[in-house]
Amino acid sequence: MIIVMKPGTSPTAITEIEEKITAKGLSVHRSEGAVLTIIGVVGDKSRLDIDAILSLPQVEKTVPITESYKLSNQKFHVNPSEFTVKNTVIGPNTLSVMAGPCAVESEEQLILIAKNVKAAGATILRGGAFKPRTSPYSFQGLEKEGLAYLKTASAETGLATICEVTSSYAVDLAVDYVDMLQIGARNMQNFELLKEVGKAKLPVLLKRGLAATIDEWLNAAEYIMSEGNLNVALCERGIRTYETATRNTLDLGAVCVLKEKTHLPVIVDPSHATGVRGYVAPLAKAAVACGADGLMIEVHNDPVNALSDGPQSLDFAQFETLMTDLKPYVGLSGRK
Ligand code: PEP
Ligand code: MN
């Protein structure tokens, strides 16, 4: 951190501030310019009350140098991290594809979809059992029954499973049924829920909030990791912009930024990002080309009659075509 002093601050006042800092076990480096003096602070900033420093009359401002997130920060963990979800590795050497319906609708539906997405090459089955719908009158998910179907579909196909959790009640239930937990966009800053999944023993997919900055997103990951769960992947799923032609705006630039700022794997969800079936395949390819470690794709046996997100869901043939067409991109990215 750097402390910028107000012009004209007396040397005695500067020394007083430096002494306050060194008394906490940190060291200081003073540099005096023609007009301004700045104090560089080195050491564990958590020992300092930064608001108290800011409120001193001689202090112009403080400038943080390292980000507030530590465990998710690439500066402290240089190599990309990877972890295993059942038999699937999510990390820098693979492209992991999570596919399935927006919502689990019935056992037959889920098993049919599971078999088809597996045949096309997906290794993780997605399916919502707790649906955070915009309207309370829309289908809310089958909850425990849906989780049980995910478990059956996994037993039948060998696929790993992922399900969104929306409350601590859902977390407690889901840990016995699925292999990975998802925090949805609407809950990215539900800090109590983040702490809950941080205590769970399953890997977590943390989706980006509808209007979250990358910094806020990484701090949300930090909430999970600081509870002891280091197996976190980030999922870019589009953000709110003024554009209405797509449901959200897919921020592929965020993938590049994340690859510099964090070691955590990055997944891209072009389904929720666009809300339009026809844009899913081109953006999936673009995501692989710019460094994504995996994709989340909504697939339905009968998209027109899906209980949620039909317009963005691929049918089996479309998903199979996408998986075939992705192969050259995956090859070029040096992944399996
Ligand atoms: C989902 O994956 O089913 C979902 C609701 O996504 P998001 O949280 O990104 O809207
Ligand atoms: Mn959906």
Side-chain angles (χ1 to χ4, degrees), residues 30-307:
R30 188 192 297 189
S31 55
E32 283 171 12
V35 184
L36 290 179
T37 296
I38 62 173
I39 305 172
V41 181
V42 183
D44 179 2
K45 256 71 86 203
S46 65
R47 295 196 209 151
L48 287 183
D49 182 347
I50 294 170
D51 286 340
I53 293 177
L54 259 177
S55 63
L56 294 170
Q58 309 91 339
V59 170
E60 178 77 35
K61 61 179 173 181
T62 61
V63 186
I65 299 298
T66 45
E67 297 83 358
S68 54
Y69 49 91
K70 304 289 175 208
L71 295 166
S72 58
N73 198 322
Q74 205 185 73
K75 285 189 187 126
F76 309 110
H77 187 299
V78 178
N79 295 324
S81 53
E82 63 175 32
F83 54 83
T84 303
V85 186
K86 206 169 180 179
N87 305 320
T88 294
V89 178
I90 299 186
N93 302 316
T94 49
L95 182 86
S96 313
V97 180
M98 312 173 176
C102 180
V104 178
E105 296 174 13
S106 72
E107 190 173 43
E108 303 72 53
Q109 172 239 21
L110 193 65
I111 291 174
L112 177 64
I113 296 175
K115 286 182 176 162
N116 278 275
V117 297
K118 183 184 175 176
T123 54
I124 302 178
L125 175 67
R126 65 145 285 144
F130 305 88
K131 295 304 305 173
R133 306 302 298 281
T134 301
S135 161
Y137 308 117
S138 302
F139 177 58
Q140 301 287 307
L142 296 180
E143 302 202 350
K144 193 173 176 183
E145 194 186 335
L147 290 172
Y149 299 157
L150 279 161
K151 196 164 186 161
T152 312
S154 174
E156 288 231 0
T157 58
L159 290 173
T161 53
I162 179 167
C163 183
E164 178 171 354
V165 285
T166 49
S167 62
S168 50
Y169 163 75
V171 177
D172 287 347
L173 276 179
V175 289
D176 292 328
Y177 290 91
V178 296
D179 304 300
M180 188 167 187
L181 303 174
Q182 175 175 319
I183 295 292
R186 288 154 195 81
N187 277 311
M188 190 207 83
Q189 284 189 317
N190 181 339
F191 299 119
E192 293 308 313
L193 187 59
L194 298 178
K195 287 191 231 168
E196 285 284 327
V197 296
K199 291 186 193 103
K201 301 282 175 279
L202 296 179
V204 176
L205 183 73
L206 176 64
K207 287 194 148 197
R208 183 180 187 176
L210 303 164
T213 64
I214 293 172
D215 196 73
E216 287 164 341
W217 191 9
L218 288 169
N219 275 294
E222 196 76 12
Y223 263 91
I224 301 172
M225 298 175 84
S226 64
E227 294 293 331
N229 190 346
L230 301 180
N231 295 335
V232 177
L234 302 162
C235 180
E236 163 59 40
R237 46 77 72 209
I239 47 173
R240 279 276 165 89
T241 67
Y242 52 81
E243 182 55 70
T244 53
T246 49
R247 184 176 176 185
N248 294 289
T249 298
L250 181 61
D251 183 8
L252 283 181
V255 178
C256 310
V257 174
L258 289 170
K259 289 287 161 192
E260 274 183 10
K261 290 195 171 286
T262 180
H263 55 90
L264 298 177
V266 181
I267 309 295
V268 171
D269 171 354
S271 305
H272 291 91
T274 59
V276 181
R277 184 177 304 125
Y279 304 146
V280 170
L283 288 173
K285 291 169 197 164
V288 177
C290 73
D293 301 296
L295 296 168
M296 172 170 268
I297 312 278
E298 284 192 339
V299 178
H300 198 278
N301 52 311
D302 181 10
V304 174
N305 292 303
L307 293 185

